[in-house]
Amino acid sequence: MTHPDIQTLIRLVHETRPLITETENAKNITVKGYADFVTKVDTSVQDFLRKKLFDLAPQVQFMGEEEHMDHIDTTKPSWILDPIDGTTNLIFDYHHSAVSLAYYDGSRIHMGIVYNPFSRETFYAVRGEGAWLDGRPIHVTDHEHLDQSLISIGTSPYDRELAKDNFRIFLNVFEKSLDIRRSGSAALDLSYVACGRLDGFLEKNLKPWDFAAGSVILEEAGGQITDYEGKPLDFCKNQNIVSSNSSIHASLLQCI
Ligand code: 2AM
Ligand code: CA
């Protein structure tokens, strides 16, 4: 099977912008768990893209955040969609959220798109071909030491029992790095490491749609992404994510 065309996919993803920025749907909120929300924007973007992606490639399975995934055959191609990554930011009108779409080819993530409709920036990559921000090639930083590095942390707000261990790690990272940041969107954090706005990002217990698209964008930009033990990721399970410009990866793992 030929892979879908990235430019066609980018055009589709851009069509979601009015659904996100020009409605009051972000105020229509359902609580899924502690600090874990879904809004009418999440469901309307997912419904819109699911239909368009089915029309484009009916044989490709669909894995999305607002959808059950027990039906997925992991040996076959699949879309992995987070209709809104950064839902809490959306609810607070923080203007830092993204649509995150990945194409899994049956063995690895082949393509990824992360689109922030507020800044109108699109990060994307095709495995083996490179990574871009709005058509310009992107690359990670060349910082070799943690004390030159800006690191984004994710607080896993929905898993409060992880907080003590998380903040122990964040203290280690803060003491050894230049400074830390907290953005609220894992997909944008990975994209920011890819384009050199950050040197690294870590967060526990992320779901496949939080990191699938960002992972290929980061790897194609020269970065590295693993679990907290430095092992390759499993795209079918929740994962503790460590990502970096590659050079500082070992030092970042040591903070854990
Ligand atoms: P979301 O906005 O799509 O929910 C914030 O710390 C990061 O964690 C965001 O990327 C957020 O994605 C993600 N996140 C939020 N709730 C989550 C949950 N229950 N499990 C895993 N990741 C979650
Ligand atoms: Ca989401």
Side-chain angles (χ1 to χ4, degrees), residues 173-239:
V173 173
F174 177 67
E175 284 179 342
K176 298 200 169 76
S177 69
L178 198 60
D179 201 355
I180 55 177
R181 294 287 181 270
R182 163 51 172 165
S183 91
S185 164
L188 285 171
D189 282 328
L190 292 168
S191 302
Y192 277 28
V193 180
C195 75
R197 292 177 188 171
L198 291 168
D199 298 289
F201 161 65
L202 68 161
E203 182 160 16
K204 271 194 170 172
N205 204 22
L206 289 176
K207 297 201 168 131
W209 41 82
D210 297 322
F211 59 81
S215 71
V216 63
I217 296 170
L218 177 61
E219 288 180 336
E220 284 299 315
Q224 192 176 351
I225 181 164
T226 66
D227 69 9
Y228 270 34
E229 289 168 354
K231 298 207 188 88
L233 300 182
D234 181 340
F235 288 91
C236 303
K237 300 204 286 224
N238 283 19
Q239 299 274 271

Side-chain angles (χ1 to χ4, degrees), residues 59-63 68-80 103-110 208-209 233-238:
Q59 71 285 11
V60 178
Q61 309 171 95
F62 185 86
M63 191 197 285
H68 295 293
M69 46 190 262
D70 21 17
H71 60 284
I72 297 290
D73 177 348
T74 55
T75 64
K76 300 224 170 88
S78 182
W79 303 111
I80 305 179
Y103 173 73
Y104 171 79
D105 66 9
S107 63
R108 55 201 310 211
I109 307 292
H110 180 73
W209 41 82
L233 300 182
D234 181 340
F235 288 91
C236 303
K237 300 204 286 224
N238 283 19

Side-chain angles (χ1 to χ4, degrees), residues 12 16 42-58 60-68 71 79 81 83 101:
L12 276 189
T16 62
D42 301 60
T43 49
S44 66
V45 169
Q46 175 150 316
D47 291 347
F48 173 83
L49 283 177
R50 195 214 284 106
K51 183 177 179 311
K52 293 278 185 175
L53 292 168
F54 181 79
D55 292 345
L56 190 74
V60 178
Q61 309 171 95
F62 185 86
M63 191 197 285
E65 170 152 29
E66 313 311 336
E67 172 106 4
H68 295 293
H71 60 284
W79 303 111
L81 175 71
L101 176 67

